[in-house]
């Protein structure tokens, strides 16, 4: 049973705080193991990667077979049924079109002193995308990670995708090809992250690593942060649906289950201003759970972390939503645009009852890599910005230096940084000669 | 003596790689200590913060005196000499003008299917800025951290600035006031970072923590990353100057020393196409080091990490610069704009001989919080973007769902995510009725 809360209940605040604070993630302390794996890959390169792949994925590789060959990719891609290939291709086109609009512009201007100022954007040279193996091997995630990198202009794109027992997902290989990925290594875990960050004899190091992964991958990304850039440390998925009574309870039920089926630690919450409707949705969830293929995952998620919250009005709903700062937010209300304007913290908003969150997972265009665990308070979904960096530019003229140099010298002296001041003073003295 | 390299030397590649790989940072393993401090602050709140401040800063505070009072700030600000106050005020205006241009725009459009797509930017609710105490207590850093947050629209800004033995820097307090900071806590170290991330009885938690600090502060920021956003883990400062022979050696010498004086681990490198000029700059550095106030810091930095590299031409210089990916890059050449276009990786570029790097530290306008330790390969200086986050928006119409929904359903099935597909199918079935 999910929890049923009502903002009118006297203990609502306590219960809501408990809900917010629920620790949904197993965080096994894998950091020591991961530190050892990273040190091993740095010290022994390919040899370490091959041994660890043998150990964890039961797969014997050589430096020559670390990456899929073009023929292997061709053969796998040829197995993909046409309908799936077309759907993936449509998704790739839409995701690309959305992300192309994110490209920021360079700026350059001259200020009143004659100083020329501005900045310039450029892509990272190389990016490495982690794609989990097994159940969570999602071709859609390949598109969502690789296309922004490609749009940003990243010259070299590599994927690490473990293939436990040698089993590869043909759709993942097709997605990689659609997204312009050059090289796909069949390795995973902390060893893959270490290899991408530090390089080995066979694997060229990259500058930025993105993509989801298990606790080992997350710990490895945290450890290599600084040596390379990383995207974020993602937690279990979440959805918050705000729905008024004028919705089909079954639609909202499957929307809630579409996150619950990801992971037993996923969280699905409904906020409604109609208690009757909330109860109807809960019944519809139960009905769907009787037959849902992944009921063994979605059931525990809904039971342990699901919630139905009844509010007095939609303003209350917006305020609670901001405290949750959900990864995904569906607004199934009469005027979803008006309600969205009251929302400050959310990774992605899906407006109106014709926009199930699953559209955003696959084909809407926006990225599905989104901030979890309340991090929408301070971070954003993946975008082309993650694969770009900015260089600031400044050019003084003698006149500009004369105008603002003395203040710089004053501040340098006040910070006891004499050479800073001298570097300005030497030039001002020349001008005053 | 700094190292003198020449790209014509047969062992240049080995020597350059050694220079690139030089470990300049003491990384004492403070992580266990920091983990303990964070746990203590989470468990005991104010009491822990007060005890740790007594221990490390030799300062006895109470919950009431954790923050400076308005009267204390008034009194300190009144001590600032007028020339310094005016210089700081000019710096604040110029930094604000530059950063105001960084504000990104919201986007919204309708695609060919009728789907409405876009995104929206918004500020984090609260930001906490760390300002080191002692030697590295720089008012300019207060401006560089706080003004982008203020421009982004952050509603609540707090500073943590330790005051060892109770000694505060009046200019830091003035800078905080100029930048619109509400509250200044006189605490530092890992305990300050923990207090800002998790909150205590007196200190309200923030959503984003930025600012430089020692090894304890850096380790604490790394640990609270995820609970809150952080800017970056900054290392010792660096400058690379590319200069042709048509420069005053003394100007370049003081430019190199302006980073060397920051820290014994700072690094200053000159690349020139004129070996004679390189030797003249080295002599000018030695001459300046005889009298420089901070020669005890700048001397060891130049001796241990300084380098003068002679190249055959400026194209070679640009290629080496990209391998260094410097935090600060000065281009003192005849056509600095043309040379800058050959540079891909740099935190900030200073164009031409009238633009000493120190201008950028104080008053140019661009931010002086920049990526160190080769991280300009994948990251950018601080900006208003660090205090903003993006919410993506999608709104389908029945027609749009009919156009793209079936592909989403196909992909959901291919990923064995049945409920994802059902959430689309339920709506398509209604349309087809």
């Amino acid at each position: 049973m999910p929890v049923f809360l009502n903002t009118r209940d006297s203990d609502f605040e306590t219960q809501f705080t408990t809900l917010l604070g629920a620790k949904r993630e197993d965080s096994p302390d894998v950091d020591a193991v991961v530190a050892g794996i990273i040190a091993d890959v740095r010290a022994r390169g390919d040899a370490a990667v091959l041994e660890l792949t043998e150990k964890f994925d039961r797969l014997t590789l050589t430096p020559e077979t670390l990456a899929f060959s073009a023929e292997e990719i061709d053969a796998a891609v040829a197995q993909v049924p046409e309908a799936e290939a077309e759907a993936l291709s449509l998704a790739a086109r839409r995701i690309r079109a959305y992300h192309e609009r994110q490209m920021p512009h360079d700026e350059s201007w001259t200020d009143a002193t004659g100083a020329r100022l501005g900045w310039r954007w450029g892509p990272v040279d190389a990016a490495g995308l982690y794609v989990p193996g097994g159940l969570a091997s999602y071709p859609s995630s390949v598109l969502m990670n690789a296309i922004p990198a490609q749009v940003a202009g990243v010259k070299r794109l590599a994927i690490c995708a473990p293939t436990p027992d040698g089993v590869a997902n043909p759709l993942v290989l097709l997605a990689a090809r659609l997204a312009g990925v050059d090289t796909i290594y069949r390795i995973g875990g902390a060893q893959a992250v270490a290899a991408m960050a530090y390089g080995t004899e066979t694997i060229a190091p990259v500058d930025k690593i993105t993509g989801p992964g298990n606790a080992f991958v997350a710990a490895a990304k945290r450890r290599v942060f600084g040596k390379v850039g990383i995207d974020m440390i993602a937690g279990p998925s979440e959805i918050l649906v705000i729905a008024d009574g004028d919705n089909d309870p079954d639609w909202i039920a499957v929307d809630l289950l579409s996150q619950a089926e990801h992971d037993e630690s996923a969280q699905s919450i409904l906020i409604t201003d109609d208690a009757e409707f909330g109860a109807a949705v809960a019944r519809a969830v139960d009905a769907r759970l009787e037959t849902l293929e992944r009921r063994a995952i979605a059931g525990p998620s809904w039971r342990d972390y699901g919630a139905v919250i009844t509010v007095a009005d939609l303003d209350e709903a917006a305020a609670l939503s901001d405290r949750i700062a959900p990864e995904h937010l569906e607004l199934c209300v009469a005027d979803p645009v008006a309600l969205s304007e009251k929302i400050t913290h959310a990774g992605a908003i899906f407006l109106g009852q014709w926009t199930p969150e699953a559209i955003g997972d696959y084909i809407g265009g926006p990225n599905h890599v989104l901030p979890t665990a309340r991090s929408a308070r301070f971070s954003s979904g993946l975008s082309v910005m993650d694969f770009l960096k900015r260089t600031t530019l400044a050019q003084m003229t003698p006149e500009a230096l004369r105008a603002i140099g003395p203040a710089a010298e004053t501040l340098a002296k006040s910070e006891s940084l004499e050479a800073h001041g001298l570097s300005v003073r030497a030039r001002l003295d020349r001008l005053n000669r």
Side-chain angles (χ1 to χ4, degrees), chain A:
Chain A
M1 278 271 282
V3 294
F4 288 83
L5 310 185
N6 191 313
T7 51
R8 292 190 200 174
D9 294 343
S10 59
D11 63 345
F12 173 78
E13 189 54 36
T14 309
Q15 289 200 57
F16 185 71
T17 307
T18 304
L19 182 72
L20 271 190
K23 192 166 166 55
R24 291 188 287 126
E25 231 180 328
D26 260 352
S27 303
D29 195 5
V30 301
D31 197 50
V33 175
V34 165
I37 290 174
I38 294 174
D40 193 21
V41 171
R42 288 184 70 176
R44 298 195 301 128
D46 282 350
V49 171
L50 295 172
E51 277 178 36
L52 290 160
T53 302
E54 177 116 33
K55 178 175 169 188
F56 292 119
D57 295 339
R58 300 160 301 281
L59 180 65
T60 307
L61 297 174
T62 65
E64 292 69 35
T65 60
L66 268 173
F68 286 93
S69 68
E71 295 71 32
E72 286 171 316
I73 298 174
D74 287 342
V77 162
Q79 294 170 32
V80 175
E82 197 175 319
E84 292 179 21
E86 278 175 12
L88 206 59
S89 173
L90 175 62
R93 286 198 302 278
R94 292 186 57 89
I95 295 163
R96 183 170 288 117
Y98 183 94
H99 287 78
E100 279 171 349
R101 290 180 178 252
Q102 290 179 331
M103 277 299 281
H105 298 290
D106 298 348
E107 298 282 349
S108 180
W109 66 94
T110 304
D111 74 12
T113 69
R116 187 127 196 99
L117 299 169
W119 62 81
R120 202 171 71 190
W121 291 95
V124 302
D125 281 343
L129 315 178
Y130 190 87
V131 180
L135 251 191
S137 169
Y138 296 140
S140 56
S141 289
V142 174
L143 299 183
M144 293 292 182
N145 278 273
I147 290 174
Q150 197 190 27
V151 169
V154 177
K155 291 196 273 296
R156 183 163 62 80
L157 281 175
I159 280 180
C160 282
T163 57
D165 300 306
V167 179
N169 180 341
L171 270 168
V172 162
L173 301 184
L174 175 57
R177 183 160 283 181
L178 286 173
V181 175
D182 309 309
T183 309
I184 307 165
Y185 298 105
R186 45 189 137 208
I187 59 173
Q191 59 272 24
V193 175
M196 290 195 282
Y198 290 96
T200 69
E201 302 91 318
T202 306
I203 300 169
V206 302
D207 303 298
K208 178 100 186 188
I209 297 176
T210 71
N214 63 17
F216 289 85
V217 171
K221 282 170 69 182
R222 192 181 281 268
R223 281 209 160 249
V224 302
F225 171 51
K227 167 68 184 169
V228 298
I230 64 170
D231 52 342
M232 61 180 80
I233 307 288
S237 193
E238 310 148 11
I239 187 171
L240 170 62
V241 181
I242 300 179
D244 58 27
D246 195 18
N247 279 280
D248 183 329
D250 181 59
W251 292 14
I252 306 303
V254 283
D255 294 355
L256 293 169
L257 287 169
S258 74
Q259 293 309 303
E261 73 176 346
H262 269 297
D263 189 335
E264 289 184 30
S265 305
Q267 183 165 51
S268 304
I269 299 176
L270 169 65
I271 299 183
T272 181
D273 57 358
D274 181 336
E276 278 301 304
F277 176 76
V281 170
R283 288 192 298 274
V285 168
D286 288 342
R288 285 287 192 176
L289 275 173
E290 285 176 19
T291 57
L292 194 73
E293 286 166 15
R294 291 170 76 118
R295 58 188 175 277
I297 294 168
S301 160
W302 178 243
R303 180 191 67 215
D304 296 340
Y305 304 112
V308 176
I309 304 175
T310 304
V311 290
D313 56 41
L314 293 179
D315 282 352
E316 245 183 38
L320 292 181
S321 176
D322 266 354
R323 291 178 63 189
I324 295 171
E327 180 189 14
H328 304 103
L329 174 61
E330 270 188 30
L331 302 180
C332 298
V333 298
D335 189 347
V337 172
L339 182 56
S340 78
E341 283 161 6
K342 297 177 180 167
I343 304 285
T344 309
H345 308 305
I349 300 182
F350 304 89
L351 296 141
Q353 60 182 1
W354 295 100
T355 318
E357 185 279 330
I359 286 293
D361 281 338
Y362 293 112
I363 200 137
N367 210 287
H368 80 195
V369 180
L370 292 165
T372 59
R374 307 191 57 224
S375 63
R377 291 177 296 119
F378 56 82
S379 63
S380 311
L382 199 70
S383 78
V384 296
M385 308 294 284
D386 288 281
F387 300 97
L388 296 168
K389 67 265 185 342
R390 186 193 329 94
T391 297
T392 61
L393 302 165
Q395 181 166 26
M396 298 296 122
T397 59
E399 294 66 38
L401 196 69
R402 208 195 302 265
I404 66 172
E409 189 187 14
T410 298
L411 291 171
K413 284 181 181 167
S414 79
E415 292 185 355
S416 302
L417 292 172
E418 187 194 15
H420 283 67
L422 289 172
S423 72
V424 176
R425 174 48 48 197
R427 288 154 168 104
L428 290 176
D429 282 347
R430 176 80 50 91
L431 290 175
N432 294 334
R433 253 195 252 163

